Each structure stands twice: as structure tokens, then as C-alpha cells.
Amino acid sequence: MKPLGFFHRVMLMLNMIVMLLFVVAAYSYLVSPKQSVVFPFLGLMFPVFMVANLFFTVYWLCFRKWLRFLVVVFSFLICWKSVSSYVPIHIPHAEAPAKGVIKILSYNVMGFGYKDHTAKKPNPILRYIIDSGADIVCLQEYMTGISPDGILTEKKIRDALKMYPYYYKLPLTRNARYTVGLGIFSKYPILKSRKVRYDSAFNGSTLHEIRVDGKTVYVINNHLESFKLTMGDRSRYAEFIGSISSGVSDNLIETMQRKLGAAFRIRAEQAEIVAEEIAALKDERIVVCGDFNDTPVSYAYRTVRGRLSDAFEESGCGVGATYNQNFFRFRLDHILFSQHISVCETKIDRIPFSDHYPVWCRVEIR
């Protein structure tokens, strides 16, 4: 057998394995993590399988292996729903906001970066929100306290964001020095606000009824269960990627199975409860946003999304990673909307003040 022919056979075997994993990962969201945690792990690896499959597409094309090339292309067509959701392609365009269009901003602020806010040295996250021009701002990991050592007081935040006359805060974690939870600021009247009914020590969701130019809009702000990976866990992951060390691999796999598996199951339950809240609103104007702690190819995301549309999928471009620490580059923050709302523009601002990038969109309320 010729050396090149043997190499092609090996590559074909590898391609078959990658293609199978790619297809399974693309549809992994159909299986609840409460039934099996294997599928959500595969869903998390979806971009790796997608890039590997793309490599084989180019490989067979270069060697003019047309049948094998077409098979790989066909696998992309089978998985197109997940591919287009994960990596949408839209040509960015800058247009002046039309009349009746409002801007919605969602941002996991990570305790406002644990920085103070003064006239001489303004907090960069507060400064960003002030300059954003957003009409409705949904914040996660909203931290306020009584101590001046890097924890902002409620008064400083309210004074800085005085352009938003309507405001609601839900503390989720409390101690003697600070509270952490969810916050929403609006230029439009917030008529009602309440917590979505699920218990979590650190995470939660809130439902708000907002009056926008005579129309009622329901906004659900979410911070779903996090993976709870420590900086040490993330460092070991980075070390594993850099060295592919078996010792690090064993430790990493054990940590991932224990922490990620539990988080997948908890997040699935939370997502189902949020989906019930959305269903109860029926055909109202609905915006669902926040830190889902899960990718577009996941059970939690798909459960919450249901029949809603994704702002980034509709008008964004590229992978659009919102989590930015170590090698963990995923789109975990989302803005979803119902059929009575149309999106005009969506963008993720790559600013380094938190471990998440803010995502915003301009929408028309019909």
C-alpha cells in the first residue's frame, strides 16, 4: 500500500469519529442533563468538533476526494441549525436608530470589577453603562455593600445612574458586608417586578413588566447556575491545553465531572422553570436576557429559548464569545425576544472590566 493511501485511510477513520461526535454534539440539547451528563459535555465541545470537521472538509478538497468531501459537507447541512446558531454570519452595518427603537443591554458586571467610583477615578463599568445610551439595563452579579474597599455602595450606583429613574434590585447572596444579586435600570416605567420561583444560593431570575411608549414589555433577567470553577480549576485547564499532561488530565476530568455535571443538572431545572414563566405570558412582548452560563448548543439555552428568537443569531456575526477568562471562550450571555419584537442590531463590546463582555441590541417594539 502506498504511504499516501495509508495516510488517507487513517484520516478517513479520524474523520468518521469527528463527524459522529460533531453530529451528536449538535443535537445534544435534545437530551436533558438530568438523564445524562454526557450529552451536555459533548455540547460544550461542539466548537472543537466543528473546527475539526472543517479541517477535514479542506483536507479532502485539497486532495480532490470528492465523495468524502461531499459527505463532510452533508454533515454540516445536517447540523446547520446548531452551526448557524453558534456562528451566525451577518454583515455589520451602522444605521441611525429609527424612531421607536430602544436599546437593551445585558451585562454580568462581576461586582462592578470590585472598584470604587469617584469623580477623579470613575468605576469603568459604571462609566460604560452611562455612555452606552441603553434604555433598559439588565445586570448580573450586581454587588453593593457598606465597605469602601472596592465594594460600591447603593447610593454611589444610584447617583451615577441617575438617568434611569426606574430601578429594581434582587439580592441573592447576603452577608454583613455586601449583597450580590440582580439589578435592572430603565428609562421606562417598571410597573411590576418579582423573583422567578426557584431557589439558589447565588443565582436567580427576575420578571419585570415595563411600559414602553404605551406598550407592555415583559423582561426576564437571568443569572442561571454557574459552573463554580475556581481560578485553580481554570488554571489546570489552561495547563492541560498547553501541555496535554496525563496527570493534569486525570485531575481535570474529575473536577469537570463533579462540578460541571452538577451545574448542568441544576441549570436544566432552572431553565425549565423560566420556560414555564415565558409560556404563561403567551403571546405578549417578551425579552429574556442575562448570563445563562450555557452555550447556544445546550439544553438550558434551548429550553429557555423555545419559540423565541436570539438577537445575536438574528443580527450578530461570528462566535461572539461573552465569557473571556483563560481558554474558556463561550457565548454564555444572550438576549432573546418574542415575535412582536424585531431586532435591528446586536453587538458584544469587548471591554476588559469583567469576566464577561456586555451584549446589547436595538429592537423595535411592534
Side-chain angles (χ1 to χ4, degrees), residues 33-328:
K34 292 184 288 186
Q35 297 174 338
S36 170
V37 295
V38 173
F39 291 95
F41 276 112
L42 289 174
L44 207 58
M45 294 294 291
F46 174 76
V48 176
F49 300 140
M50 180 171 60
V51 171
N53 215 34
L54 184 61
F55 163 78
F56 283 111
T57 307
V58 176
Y59 178 85
W60 297 127
L61 180 62
C62 290
F63 285 98
R64 299 183 181 182
K65 299 292 183 178
W66 302 117
L67 180 58
R68 298 174 186 181
F69 168 76
L70 290 174
V71 170
V72 182
V73 170
F74 184 66
S75 72
F76 275 101
L77 295 177
I78 292 175
C79 304
W80 187 248
K81 179 179 179 180
S82 292
V83 172
S84 60
S85 180
Y86 209 101
V87 194
I89 303 296
H90 298 281
I91 299 174
H93 61 281
E95 294 183 359
K99 187 178 180 180
V101 170
I102 67 170
K103 183 175 181 179
I104 300 171
L105 169 67
S106 178
Y107 195 2
N108 182 324
V109 294
M110 196 183 70
F112 293 97
Y114 314 110
K115 297 181 184 298
D116 200 1
H117 180 74
T118 64
K120 292 184 177 180
K121 196 173 182 180
N123 181 283
I125 291 177
L126 282 177
R127 184 78 264 167
Y128 168 81
I129 296 171
I130 293 167
D131 295 339
S132 70
D135 298 288
I136 298 173
V137 180
C138 294
L139 304 178
Q140 304 87 44
E141 294 191 27
Y142 180 95
M143 176 185 282
T144 60
I146 58 175
S147 173
D149 55 348
I151 301 177
L152 289 172
T153 63
E154 191 72 46
K155 184 177 187 308
K156 283 190 175 182
I157 296 173
R158 295 294 293 123
D159 288 345
L161 300 180
K162 58 187 176 182
M163 68 288 301
Y164 297 99
Y166 306 99
Y167 156 79
Y168 178 83
K169 172 190 173 183
L170 174 68
L172 297 168
T173 301
R174 298 174 183 267
N175 65 27
R177 293 180 59 246
Y178 61 83
T179 65
V180 183
L182 298 166
I184 182 169
F185 292 82
S186 175
K187 294 179 180 177
Y188 297 96
I190 300 176
L191 305 181
K192 296 178 183 178
S193 294
R194 66 174 174 85
K195 184 180 184 294
V196 174
R197 53 176 184 85
Y198 64 80
D199 295 324
S200 174
F202 188 73
N203 305 97
S205 302
T206 52
L207 172 61
H208 311 275
E209 183 180 334
I210 302 178
R211 198 68 174 168
V212 180
D213 296 333
K215 297 178 282 289
T216 300
V217 179
Y218 292 92
V219 177
I220 301 179
N221 184 20
N222 299 278
H223 188 198
L224 302 185
E225 195 72 16
S226 67
F227 287 119
K228 294 181 172 58
L229 294 179
T230 65
M231 291 305 296
D233 297 332
R234 298 169 189 173
S235 297
R236 284 194 293 274
Y237 176 81
E239 183 183 345
F240 169 67
I241 294 297
S243 65
I244 315 298
S245 163
S246 60
V248 175
S249 175
D250 294 341
N251 192 303
L252 178 70
I253 291 172
E254 188 276 332
T255 299
M256 293 296 184
Q257 288 176 337
R258 177 168 47 85
K259 293 190 175 183
L260 272 67
F264 280 129
R265 287 187 288 268
I266 295 171
R267 197 158 51 243
E269 294 182 3
Q270 295 172 349
E272 290 166 358
I273 293 172
V274 173
E276 290 174 5
E277 293 279 2
I278 296 170
L281 295 174
K282 298 183 179 179
D283 292 328
E284 299 291 345
R285 302 173 183 87
I286 306 167
V287 175
V288 182
C289 64
D291 177 6
F292 287 29
N293 271 307
D294 236 330
T295 72
V297 184
S298 67
Y299 177 83
Y301 167 87
R302 287 290 174 180
T303 299
V304 172
R305 177 173 174 175
R307 295 184 179 181
L308 302 179
S309 299
D310 186 303
F312 191 82
E313 183 180 328
E314 293 289 325
S315 60
C317 186
V319 175
T322 60
Y323 188 76
N324 57 56
Q325 295 296 298
N326 298 96
F327 287 91
F328 294 82

